[in-house]
Amino acid sequence: MASLFETLLGTSLRTTMVDAEHAMKGREASAYPVPGTHAVLGTPLQGPWPEGTRVLYLASGCFWGAEKEAWQLPGVVTTAVGYMGGFTPFPTYEETCTGRTGHTETVMVAYDPTVLSDVDLMRHFWEEHDPTQGFRQGNDVGTQYRSAVFFTTPEQEAAARETRDTYAPLLKARGYGDVTTEIRSVEDAGTFYYAEGPHQQYLRKNPGGYCPVNSTGVACPMPQA
């Protein structure tokens, strides 16, 4: 059993963002194979996908529950969980959970924008978690649980910022703090590293698994014109 000092030190490390100099070194290739097919949707996890498919990367706490929320949305082609926004090449789950890779648990969402608009996807994202908690979601504490949006198109960036600016005052009115969500391009955030096979569609494989969605219960309206 860890001592109180070790527990407190571990918590401190997980709630302080590591920098590139002090991050784990990682490896040159993945340490594990990635499944080829989505366990629920039957679609490719890594493509190719139909022409016109857009990809957005969303971090909203424990990626098991966040992915389940995403794969149920109309218009979603596929989803996958992984690690993004950090420094360590090809991290493992255990490494990410130390807080020393800089990554946050992220859900890749590939979707048909003619069915699921960028704005509606973002509204779902805001409503499914508490974007004001910094380096935690509920009882899950650490930089790997921080809220983030990693966009691939200008339209996605606009939708993220517009919905955030519409939603933030409503959260304030209900007693929540400032929105702490990162909004960054994939070029800035870096590579999305697919998580290990058991983590993909985890709650389909483990229906009783622990992974609460920490919704505030505050609805996100359409952004103002």
Side-chain angles (χ1 to χ4, degrees):
M1 180 180 293
S3 68
L4 177 60
F5 174 78
E6 290 171 326
T7 300
L8 291 174
L9 178 60
T11 300
S12 176
L13 287 173
R14 294 197 306 274
T15 56
T16 302
M17 271 299 295
V18 71
D19 58 26
E21 180 182 358
H22 297 96
M24 288 184 172
K25 299 306 179 186
R27 49 194 59 81
E28 295 183 357
S30 179
Y32 46 81
V34 175
T37 305
H38 196 285
V40 178
L41 302 176
T43 48
L45 249 61
Q46 302 183 68
W49 302 303
E51 184 176 354
T53 299
R54 286 185 184 170
V55 177
L56 183 61
Y57 300 91
L58 301 171
S60 55
C62 171
F63 54 16
W64 297 337
E67 186 191 19
K68 182 178 179 180
E69 290 291 311
W71 82 52
Q72 299 179 81
L73 295 174
V76 167
V77 176
T78 202
T79 60
V81 296
Y83 318 113
M84 198 169 185
F87 306 104
T88 302
F90 297 100
T92 65
Y93 179 74
E94 289 76 15
E95 290 169 350
T96 300
C97 287
T98 67
R100 294 180 56 213
T101 74
H103 297 290
T104 184
E105 294 190 13
T106 303
V107 179
M108 182 275 291
V109 184
Y111 61 101
D112 180 349
T114 68
V115 178
L116 178 64
S117 71
D118 299 327
V119 166
D120 282 338
L121 179 53
M122 284 307 310
R123 291 172 65 210
H124 171 81
F125 166 77
W126 296 121
E127 291 177 352
E128 77 170 11
H129 76 301
D130 181 351
T132 71
Q133 290 198 334
F135 297 149
R136 69 179 301 156
Q137 276 294 302
N139 293 326
D140 293 325
V141 179
T143 58
Q144 77 271 25
Y145 298 115
R146 69 187 187 273
S147 176
V149 178
F150 304 126
F151 59 85
T152 61
T153 72
E155 293 84 2
Q156 290 172 345
E157 179 183 13
R161 296 190 187 282
E162 289 169 2
T163 52
R164 178 200 59 191
D165 293 347
T166 298
Y167 197 43
L170 300 181
L171 291 171
K172 280 277 193 179
R174 292 283 292 272
Y176 291 92
D178 294 331
V179 171
T180 58
T181 304
E182 297 175 26
I183 300 178
R184 303 164 62 189
S185 69
V186 294
E187 289 80 12
D188 184 47
T191 302
F192 171 79
Y193 295 102
Y194 283 80
E196 298 87 332
H199 293 292
Q200 304 296 340
Q201 299 85 65
Y202 179 89
L203 292 182
R204 171 61 177 265
K205 302 167 185 175
N206 303 273
Y210 169 82
C211 193
V213 174
N214 294 283
S215 172
T216 64
V218 180
C220 180
M222 291 291 290
Q224 300 173 357

